[in-house]
Amino acid sequence: MKLFIPQIDCLLECDQEKCQSLVIENRTVWCSILNDMAEQLRGNEGKIELSCNNKIIPLSKNVELISQFIPFDMNPKGLLTKIMNEMQKIAVNEQHFVQTTTVLSCLEKYLLELTVDMVGNIGFSKINIESLIKSAGIELESDYDNLGEKILDYFELVNAYDSKKLFVLVNLRSYLSEPEMKEFLKNVIVHQYEILLVDSVDYPVLELEKRYIVDADQCILC
């Protein structure tokens, strides 16, 4: 993917050898770029353009902007919905169809038995696999000792159940030590995740990082 940021007239190209990073020291430019991304992710128009194979693609479907790392949410509603949708597909495939229909039938029978000696004509909605899975309270494990590993697992989940995305990580280096950051970038490259690090502080450049700096005078330094 390629990200063109007209506010600084810069084209960032994600590759498989190094991770892109953008250090923005100018606060006005910082706000302009992040606001532009946030608005497009809400479905509004913006100036920043994302392309893949020389075709413009919408940021709203192909970019995830992450600015909160403590706590880091492993269970956003959109991702859980896609996981439950996948479970529904598996439940009615050839391997599980008979078992699924048997379970639903048994549940309906059980609910009817509960009402036999109750006062009133009690009814309930027909049970289907969608309502059964939703009632289970599906969620992802979120207890990690290492924040970098947690974020990497999140990338894997998004790529598996949603789509391949560009993850824009705002001030991540405020939360990871230099050794943790090196390990994080190594895993990003190994698994071919596409990320853009956006920082407001000029940290030491790492081996697997390709950095652009927008200084206070809006000059771009590579």
Side-chain angles (χ1 to χ4, degrees):
M1 293 185 191
K2 298 179 181 179
L3 191 71
F4 177 62
I5 306 176
Q7 289 91 335
I8 54 175
D9 193 24
C10 182
L11 179 65
L12 303 175
E13 184 172 0
C14 299
D15 56 46
Q16 305 304 322
E17 297 180 359
K18 290 197 174 184
C19 299
Q20 297 281 353
S21 80
L22 182 62
V23 175
I24 308 173
E25 298 176 346
N26 185 294
R27 299 297 176 87
T28 302
V29 175
W30 170 271
C31 289
S32 176
I33 290 173
L34 294 182
N35 278 332
D36 189 311
M37 288 186 182
E39 285 299 317
Q40 291 199 53
L41 294 179
R42 294 189 189 101
N44 300 320
E45 294 184 356
K47 298 177 181 178
I48 297 174
E49 292 183 347
L50 181 68
S51 63
C52 183
N53 298 324
N54 297 318
K55 284 187 175 183
I56 301 296
I57 56 178
L59 264 72
S60 58
K61 294 182 179 179
N62 298 282
V63 170
E64 187 156 344
L65 180 66
I66 304 175
S67 58
Q68 180 172 312
F69 297 99
I70 298 179
F72 181 75
D73 186 11
M74 288 286 288
N75 291 281
K77 183 178 179 181
L79 179 59
L80 290 181
T81 297
K82 288 179 170 61
I83 289 173
M84 289 188 287
N85 288 342
E86 184 64 23
M87 290 178 70
Q88 291 175 42
K89 292 178 184 177
I90 295 172
V92 296
N93 67 17
E94 185 176 354
Q95 181 181 353
H96 295 93
F97 181 78
V98 173
Q99 184 181 6
T100 297
T101 54
T102 301
V103 168
L104 294 177
S105 177
C106 288
L107 281 173
E108 288 185 354
K109 182 180 178 182
Y110 174 67
L111 290 174
L112 285 170
E113 289 176 355
L114 292 178
T115 65
V116 169
D117 296 324
M118 295 179 66
V119 175
N121 187 15
I122 300 171
F124 50 87
S125 300
K126 184 173 179 61
I127 300 175
N128 56 39
I129 191 61
E130 180 181 359
S131 60
L132 178 61
I133 291 174
K134 284 183 177 179
S135 68
I138 303 297
E139 65 177 24
L140 295 159
E141 175 62 47
S142 59
D143 186 16
Y144 285 75
D145 294 327
N146 183 284
L147 175 61
E149 291 177 2
K150 187 174 186 178
I151 297 169
L152 288 166
D153 281 358
Y154 178 75
F155 290 171
E156 181 181 10
L157 289 163
V158 171
N159 282 358
Y161 295 110
D162 191 347
S163 63
K164 187 173 179 63
K165 291 190 176 185
L166 171 63
F167 298 96
V168 180
L169 309 173
V170 182
N171 280 333
L172 175 61
R173 292 193 66 172
S174 297
Y175 301 89
L176 298 182
S177 66
E178 188 166 317
E180 288 174 332
M181 198 66 202
K182 288 180 179 178
E183 185 66 19
F184 176 79
L185 294 185
K186 184 175 75 174
N187 278 286
V188 165
I189 296 298
V190 168
H191 292 92
Q192 299 185 349
Y193 300 131
E194 297 191 5
I195 70 168
L196 170 62
L197 300 170
V198 181
D199 289 289
S200 55
V201 177
D202 188 10
Y203 295 95
V205 179
L206 302 177
E207 182 181 355
L208 294 176
E209 177 186 357
K210 183 178 181 181
R211 177 176 298 179
Y212 296 85
I213 301 174
V214 182
D215 68 15
D217 296 321
Q218 299 189 36
C219 296
I220 300 179
L221 311 172
C222 298

